[in-house]
Amino acid sequence: MTDKNCIFCRIAAGEIPSAKVYEDDKMLVFKDIEPKAKVHLLAIAKAHFPSLPEEGDENALTVAYMLTKIPAIARANGCESGYRLVVNQGVDAGQTVFHLHFHILGGETLPW
Ligand code: 5GP
Ligand code: ZN
């Protein structure tokens, strides 16, 4: 469920501080430590799973839940006129933290 060596599990557990903007029993949203846009949030599940779940994986329910919460959270945090939702899935995409997370990027007009 959690991995003690995982930095995002440790953030979710409160062992590593983060600038939280939203939290409930299933997910946490906090500011990225190295923002790539005026608004750069990370949405993580509290459960540890490394990347997008495949068909039949119950973690897919958590992902669906997160996707229905993200629009209002983004809107409330400076992304009223839009945002980009990014998943770096795997090493070729540059994934560095292997605990699924959505990057929420906005607060300005983003270059493509
Ligand atoms: P990835 O490259 O895996 O898609 O994204 C990992 C993200 O996590 C990066 O944007 C990085 O800046 C962010 N990050 C890594 N460590 C920490 C941390 O300790 N705190 C916060 N707030 N963000 C972090
Ligand atoms: Zn984790």
Side-chain angles (χ1 to χ4, degrees):
M1 207 54 180
T2 62
D3 177 341
K4 63 179 170 42
N5 297 314
C6 168
I7 192 162
F8 286 176
C9 283
R10 296 186 65 201
I11 286 174
E15 292 170 20
I16 294 175
S18 65
K20 293 179 196 174
V21 303
Y22 177 82
E23 182 168 18
D24 66 25
D25 59 330
K26 294 188 192 61
M27 68 183 282
L28 178 66
V29 183
F30 55 96
K31 293 182 183 177
D32 195 293
I33 205 166
E34 273 183 54
K36 313 283 190 302
K38 279 192 180 151
V39 176
H40 187 173
L41 305 174
L42 297 172
I44 67 168
K46 288 198 168 171
H48 178 88
F49 48 98
S51 51
L52 288 168
E54 304 210 11
E55 198 175 351
D57 183 338
E58 65 178 19
N59 290 317
L61 298 173
T62 304
V63 171
Y65 175 80
M66 292 170 74
L67 289 172
T68 62
K69 299 300 280 190
I70 283 171
I73 296 166
R75 206 161 50 236
N77 286 280
C79 299
E80 298 82 1
S81 46
Y83 54 94
R84 186 168 293 148
L85 199 58
V86 172
V87 176
N88 290 325
Q89 172 90 345
V91 288
D92 276 2
Q95 186 175 5
T96 57
V97 179
F98 288 82
H99 177 132
L100 178 71
H101 51 281
F102 292 98
H103 295 261
I104 301 166
L105 297 151
E108 61 182 320
T109 303
L110 300 169
W112 175 237

